[in-house]
Amino acid sequence: MSGGEAPEAGNAALTRRWQDVMMDNFGTPRLPLVRGRGTRVWDAEGNEYLDFVGGIAVNALGHAHPAVVRALSEQAASLGHVSNLFVAEPTVRLAERLLGLAGRRGRVYFSNSGAEAVEAAFKIGRLTGRTHMVAAAGGFHGRTMGALALTGQPAKQDPFRPLPGDVSHVPYGDVGALRAAVTARTALLVLEPLQGENGVIVPPPGYLRAAREITAATGTLLVLDEIQTGVGRTGHWFAAQAEGVEADVVTLAKGLGGGLPIGATLAFGPAAGLLTPGTHGSTFSGNPVVCAAALAVLDTIERTGVLGNVRRAGRRLRHALEGPDHPLVREVRGAGLLLGVVLDGTHAARVQRAAQERGLLVNAVAADVVRLAPPLTVSDREVEVFLDGFGAALAEVLEEGRRAA
């Protein structure tokens, strides 16, 4: 297409344009989207969808939330990027706010993504003077090289070996395996409070508390990856708060920016002092415009009672989907509005497709698991609309299976 030609319109045309110019690491996305408002999005042909993917748990307040739009506009009109050579007030205020939500004294490093937040934690671990690290099989911490070394998914790791670091992976939820692996030579143990990308896996009660006790006994840093679970996604500011567990390092991203790219690494106690001048950095660290958006997200969640809505909507979804009307559903895992609908068989891709045909966007995160991560502001009415359509999609796939048998 030359500079003077109008771009092709429509879903097929926009998809072809993607295929012509984009690297193929994502494959071809299933649907081109051009507009969003709240929990709704529209494709290039004007079809409307109820979005229960939420940018993979990113759009905490939905699409085009007025508070985020206003914060972005006002900050961009005032002070944009200044780099880490200068101080910007929104950056300082966001760090203060995150530490306040954690209820602890500490320090914050801002980055541009969850993977970068984990990379900072990886470096903090190295600065302890120890090199061994422990992570959980099935865990996902990002795709940059350090984060990938901690990710416990061999299919993602194998093309890029050898990976940095001396990392041991242990079964998730197994306290005995933690006790055997974490020793006085272990720099850090990194865990997700629940494993989002692995099919929304929830550990047994007391697992995080045991991890805290084990790491405290060995002088190991406990790193909790709250990139997917943090910022209210489970009905708490941080998922670990439900068990009263305080980590040495917490990583955040996804919902923090409400759709804007930002990561944060929070460190407490001795870990907070390990990054010193020259040990780490990023040109875009603490960008004022993105920090202003993140502050708007936090303000809105707190001011409008969003955490209560997360707990209420999550309970409604779980109760309805685990009921007798849905025989294809084996169980529903997760917390708040991060839920994994576990199916009786490897039907997730077909359920995802049937739901989309009914105007619902969901994520087949595993062969037998459909992940739900709608905006935290989803209304009671939207939950009911979703349940009606998703129930019909489940029934269709169940009937297809019966006919095929």
Side-chain angles (χ1 to χ4, degrees):
M1 184 178 69
S2 67
E5 296 177 3
E8 293 181 275
N11 289 345
L14 187 51
T15 298
R16 282 196 303 273
R17 290 168 58 199
W18 168 285
Q19 293 169 327
D20 286 345
V21 298
M22 299 296 291
M23 290 190 184
D24 200 35
N25 53 300
F26 296 113
T28 300
R30 55 189 163 111
L31 185 67
L33 300 176
V34 299
R35 183 167 64 92
R37 174 71 61 176
T39 59
R40 308 278 176 163
V41 290
W42 287 263
D43 67 18
E45 295 174 355
N47 299 305
E48 180 180 325
Y49 304 87
L50 187 59
D51 181 10
F52 267 55
V53 177
I56 312 180
V58 165
N59 299 322
L61 303 181
H63 300 269
H65 192 280
V68 175
V69 173
R70 183 168 56 252
L72 281 171
S73 300
E74 291 175 356
Q75 186 59 46
S78 172
L79 182 68
H81 180 66
V82 298
S83 85
N84 49 65
L85 300 177
F86 305 95
V87 175
E89 195 274 343
T91 311
V92 176
R93 185 152 45 100
L94 180 59
E96 292 170 339
R97 188 68 178 279
L98 289 173
L99 294 173
L101 293 175
R104 306 167 66 191
R105 292 182 61 84
R107 293 183 181 273
V108 180
Y109 169 76
F110 287 119
S111 53
N112 311 291
S113 67
E116 290 177 63
V118 173
E119 289 285 340
F122 190 104
K123 280 192 168 182
I124 289 170
R126 281 290 183 86
L127 291 171
T128 65
R130 303 178 183 185
T131 58
H132 179 239
M133 300 182 185
V134 177
F140 182 79
H141 303 288
R143 295 176 186 261
T144 53
M145 293 299 280
L148 187 60
L150 295 169
T151 290
Q153 299 183 16
K156 293 182 174 67
Q157 296 174 310
D158 288 345
F160 304 101
R161 296 186 189 278
L163 294 167
D166 173 15
V167 181
S168 301
H169 287 93
V170 297
Y172 186 63
D174 186 334
V175 173
L178 287 183
R179 293 193 191 281
V182 177
T183 70
R185 72 179 189 90
T186 304
L188 62 79
L189 165 65
V190 59
L191 296 170
E192 297 165 272
L194 60 86
Q195 292 187 333
E197 297 299 313
N198 196 32
V200 193
I201 307 294
V202 181
Y207 179 67
L208 296 183
R209 288 194 299 274
R212 175 71 284 182
E213 292 166 3
I214 292 165
T215 52
T218 58
T220 299
L221 298 180
L222 175 61
V223 180
L224 289 183
D225 181 338
E226 294 251 20
I227 289 164
Q228 192 158 159
T229 58
V231 196
R233 176 57 56 182
T234 68
H236 301 271
W237 285 110
F238 307 97
Q241 289 175 331
E243 291 200 43
V245 174
E246 293 186 341
D248 300 292
V249 179
V250 175
T251 58
L252 299 171
K254 289 194 181 287
L256 178 59
L260 277 294
I262 186 171
T265 306
L266 284 57
F268 307 95
L274 290 174
L275 286 182
T276 55
T279 54
H280 196 44
S282 167
T283 298
F284 293 101
S285 175
N287 174 271
V289 177
V290 181
C291 286
L295 283 163
V297 170
L298 300 180
D299 289 344
T300 302
I301 290 174
E302 188 168 54
R303 187 182 68 253
T304 60
V306 167
L307 295 183
N309 186 67
V310 170
R311 294 189 288 269
R312 181 175 63 254
R315 284 194 300 268
R316 174 61 182 138
L317 286 165
R318 182 189 294 270
H319 175 76
L321 292 171
E322 288 183 328
D325 293 339
H326 304 299
L328 193 63
V329 176
R330 194 165 73 242
E331 65 171 315
V332 179
R333 300 190 296 236
L337 287 175
L338 181 57
L339 299 175
V341 182
V342 184
L343 306 174
D344 187 14
T346 56
H347 307 297
R350 289 193 292 277
V351 170
Q352 175 181 283
R353 184 171 58 252
Q356 183 171 312
E357 290 170 354
R358 289 166 171 79
L360 308 174
L361 300 184
V362 297
N363 175 215
V365 71
D368 62 343
V369 182
V370 175
R371 176 172 52 184
L372 310 181
L376 309 184
T377 52
V378 64
S379 70
D380 294 345
R381 172 60 182 157
E382 288 164 337
V383 168
E384 296 308 316
V385 170
F386 173 82
L387 288 170
D388 287 345
F390 193 65
L394 290 168
E396 176 185 316
V397 172
L398 180 63
E399 181 59 28
E400 286 176 355
R402 286 171 174 165
R403 288 198 301 268

